[in-house]
Amino acid sequence: MSQDTRVDKVIAESVASDSNVVNQNSIVESKAKKERRKRSVAWNHFTSAVDSEGIKKGVCNYCKKEYLADTKEHGTTAMLGHIRKCKKIPCNVDTRQSKIAFQSVTGGNKGDVSIVSWKFDQEECRKALCRMIILDELPFRFVEKEGFKQFMKVVQPLFRIPSRTTVTRDCFDLFDEEKNKMRSIFKETQQRVCITTDTWTSVQRINYMCITAHWIDKNWTLHKRVINFCPISSHRGEDLAKGIVKCLHEWGLHRIFTVTVDNASSNSVCVAELSKQLTKWGTNLLGGKHLHVRCMAHIINLVVQDGIKEANISIERIRQAVRYIRQSPARWKNFQECCVDENLAKKSLCLDVPTRWNSTYLMLNRAIEYEGAILAYADRDIGLAHHLEFGHICVCDGDSDIVDEEQPVGSLLCSDWDSIKRIAKFLELFFKLTLKVSGSLYITSNIHFLEICQVGFCLSKLISSDDIVLAQMATNMKKKFEKYWGDPTKMNKMLFIPCVLDPRHKFTTLSFALKKMFGDNGATIEKDVREYMKSLFNEYSSSASKDKCGKLSSEVEASSSSYMVDIGDFYEELSRHTSGSGAGNSKSELDKYLAEDTEVGTSDFNVLLWWKYNSARFPFLSEMARDILAIPISSVASECAFSTGGRVLDSFRSSLTSKLVEALVCLQDWLRSESQPISIEEDLDSLEQLEQDLAKVGKEPSIDDI
């Protein structure tokens, strides 16, 4: 009995085991059928689905249109046809095949295009995105904004948008790439470089020092590049010098010709310490006597600020009138009605910034243009007269900035209009001059002393003027002018020599200007300039002769290494003889240049182009001219030259690390291609004109119109 039970149990277990094997095999087969890969390319754009009735369908991933998709009965032909017609499916671009595209012509007229070949490149698109963020000062999280993502889906769906971390890494990579390119250029040319320094402040009150290099290459093209933007511990001259030396050593720039800085006392200490370091490096020409160049734009700013104080009453009345009109939309509407009555275009009245005297000049100019409208508004709105009557102005004591008293602004009189018209005409001279000397896309050193003479001549004329206000303004400005440019013995010789190296002027113009500026002392100063220029030329010619002699002797040694004869002295004397520096009766290149007639001065005369064509005739002198003409006479760009306040970093850059700030600031300068600075006032005028034109046709302005 027990034996039969055991047999039955074994049979049952055997049957159960066979059943499990069958079930497992069926599951594996069903999974294989379920997981079988769909081979049609249609399923790259469609998703399989089953409706409520159990019918298999394919749903388009883009437009959500449905097709019957039972592969045994219907196939995928309909879905493949839809792929070719669906407008929402991105085009399958073959990245290996170039396409024809239209590209704007750089430097051409508006609308000019050229035909170029194009194909999609993910890496190039990433670099272009990186450049856009740097040039337009966009935050890194811009790439993660929903609007930008939607925009890129339409413009180029194939582009995979990188994260902000990747973009930051790309910026550093681009910085290293561009920096290595510039470093190799400096290493190959081994030419002298002029530098300018300036200080900036972040919103966290961290001080930064900006160092900019200026040079003229062998093709006689002027270059300006920001090479450093780093935090500094203090504004002490020694600390500034250490920062500059560290930067120069990192870039391999040991041949510095001049350093242009503003008139802070710490900068004098900084340049003196830098001169000592250049002497250690053996690259300090003539003991660094011409190394320190004072920023002309900064001096002009100080001169003008002293003059504006004298005419403060009339300027303040205009300022208060403009502020009153701009404070209320209702007042502004009434003012525009006055403009219509006076047949004047409706433009914005400019309100100045106290630390930027150019904004004061622009405010006065615009107020003079709308004098009739302002007077008509004063007749309509009695509140303007009350505002001026009860307003107060701070009056400073003498030459100091200490407030002595407050006095009422008073009514706007006819005499005030006459006064500001003369003041605006007077300030126009300094406004144009500051723009001229602050340029960085053209040489300015050749006009340095001539513009100083122009300012001194105008101030001397106005001092004896019958206009009491202008005469007092000119007197105050002349005092500041004499402080920096009144004593020729304290003036850098590099103020005069660039004028001589301009073939339109030479010593003919310089002699006349010195006599006008300093009277009988002009002849003595001219003699000193001639001697200094000759000494500097001898430095260049002897240095070039040594280099040439070294190359020649090394070639001889290489070709005849078996001979042990010392022939270096012969080639050195031969080099001096052929260059004209060692011969007794022969003229040097400098003498030949000065003996030639001056060129005719035309408006389109290009000094650098003249030296490029004549460099073969004056090989040593042209090397000297390349370094001298590259000297910047302003340490700041034109948009900063009018300000008495310090330059401040925006909140975005202030929130970044110092290394990233340096990379962004330097890269923006290296990548920027705009040849003209942005004019805020001009942009406002164009936008206002656009609004007027659109208002005539009853249309609201849009981005496309702008």
Side-chain angles (χ1 to χ4, degrees), residues 547-593:
D547 294 340
K548 188 175 181 180
C549 177
K551 292 180 180 179
L552 189 59
S553 61
S554 62
E555 291 175 1
V556 173
E557 290 176 3
S559 61
S560 57
S561 57
S562 58
Y563 297 97
M564 301 300 295
V565 181
D566 184 8
I567 58 175
D569 292 339
F570 169 76
Y571 281 103
E572 185 176 353
E573 292 182 10
L574 177 62
S575 179
R576 287 201 303 268
H577 174 76
T578 55
S579 65
S581 59
N585 298 325
S586 62
K587 288 184 177 181
S588 66
E589 291 179 13
L590 179 60
D591 295 332
K592 292 178 182 178
Y593 168 76

Side-chain angles (χ1 to χ4, degrees), residues 17 220 322 364 600 618:
S17 176
W220 291 90
V322 172
L364 296 180
V600 178
F618 309 109

Side-chain angles (χ1 to χ4, degrees), residues 385-598:
H386 290 163
H387 177 77
L388 295 175
E389 183 179 354
F390 296 104
H392 289 81
I393 179 176
C394 299
V395 180
C396 296
D397 182 17
D399 296 331
S400 67
D401 293 330
I402 301 175
V403 177
D404 185 31
E405 60 176 340
E406 288 189 355
Q407 67 181 52
V409 175
S411 301
L412 191 57
L413 307 175
C414 293
S415 59
D416 292 319
W417 287 105
D418 295 336
S419 178
I420 66 167
K421 287 176 183 177
R422 295 191 299 271
I423 293 170
K425 190 67 177 176
F426 178 50
L427 292 179
E428 184 179 6
L429 166 67
F430 298 94
F431 180 80
K432 292 180 178 180
L433 175 59
T434 304
L435 289 176
K436 192 175 183 179
V437 302
S438 301
S440 59
L441 303 174
Y442 51 87
I443 61 172
T444 54
S445 58
N446 61 321
I447 62 171
H448 194 174
F449 182 64
L450 299 181
E451 295 296 341
I452 292 174
C453 293
Q454 171 72 359
V455 173
F457 182 78
C458 291
L459 292 178
S460 298
K461 286 287 185 181
L462 285 173
I463 288 175
S464 56
S465 172
D466 295 334
D467 191 317
I468 299 176
V469 175
L470 286 183
Q472 190 58 47
M473 283 181 63
T475 302
N476 294 344
M477 297 169 76
K478 187 71 171 178
K479 291 179 182 177
K480 186 71 72 173
F481 179 89
E482 294 289 343
K483 179 181 178 181
Y484 296 103
W485 295 319
D487 187 357
T489 59
K490 297 180 180 179
M491 296 171 69
N492 192 329
K493 294 296 188 295
M494 287 303 158
L495 267 71
F496 314 110
I497 295 178
C499 178
V500 180
L501 292 175
D502 189 329
R504 297 170 296 177
H505 302 308
K506 300 185 180 180
F507 272 106
T508 304
T509 300
L510 184 63
S511 301
F512 176 82
L514 288 172
K515 187 176 181 181
K516 280 287 184 181
M517 185 85 170
F518 303 108
D520 296 335
N521 293 330
T524 305
I525 302 169
E526 180 186 347
K527 182 180 178 182
D528 295 340
V529 173
R530 285 182 180 271
E531 292 178 356
Y532 193 87
M533 194 172 181
K534 185 177 181 180
S535 300
L536 187 61
F537 173 74
N538 290 337
E539 286 280 340
Y540 273 84
S541 58
S542 62
S543 176
S545 298
K546 289 179 181 179
D547 294 340
K548 188 175 181 180
C549 177
K551 292 180 180 179
L552 189 59
S553 61
S554 62
E555 291 175 1
V556 173
E557 290 176 3
S559 61
S560 57
S561 57
S562 58
Y563 297 97
M564 301 300 295
V565 181
D566 184 8
I567 58 175
D569 292 339
F570 169 76
Y571 281 103
E572 185 176 353
E573 292 182 10
L574 177 62
S575 179
R576 287 201 303 268
H577 174 76
T578 55
S579 65
S581 59
N585 298 325
S586 62
K587 288 184 177 181
S588 66
E589 291 179 13
L590 179 60
D591 295 332
K592 292 178 182 178
Y593 168 76
L594 295 176
E596 293 182 357
D597 294 336
T598 57

Side-chain angles (χ1 to χ4, degrees), residues 191 218 220 540 618-628:
Q191 66 182 64
K218 291 186 177 180
W220 291 90
Y540 273 84
F618 309 109
F620 297 155
L621 186 61
S622 62
E623 287 293 320
M624 186 174 106
R626 270 206 305 155
D627 295 339
I628 293 177

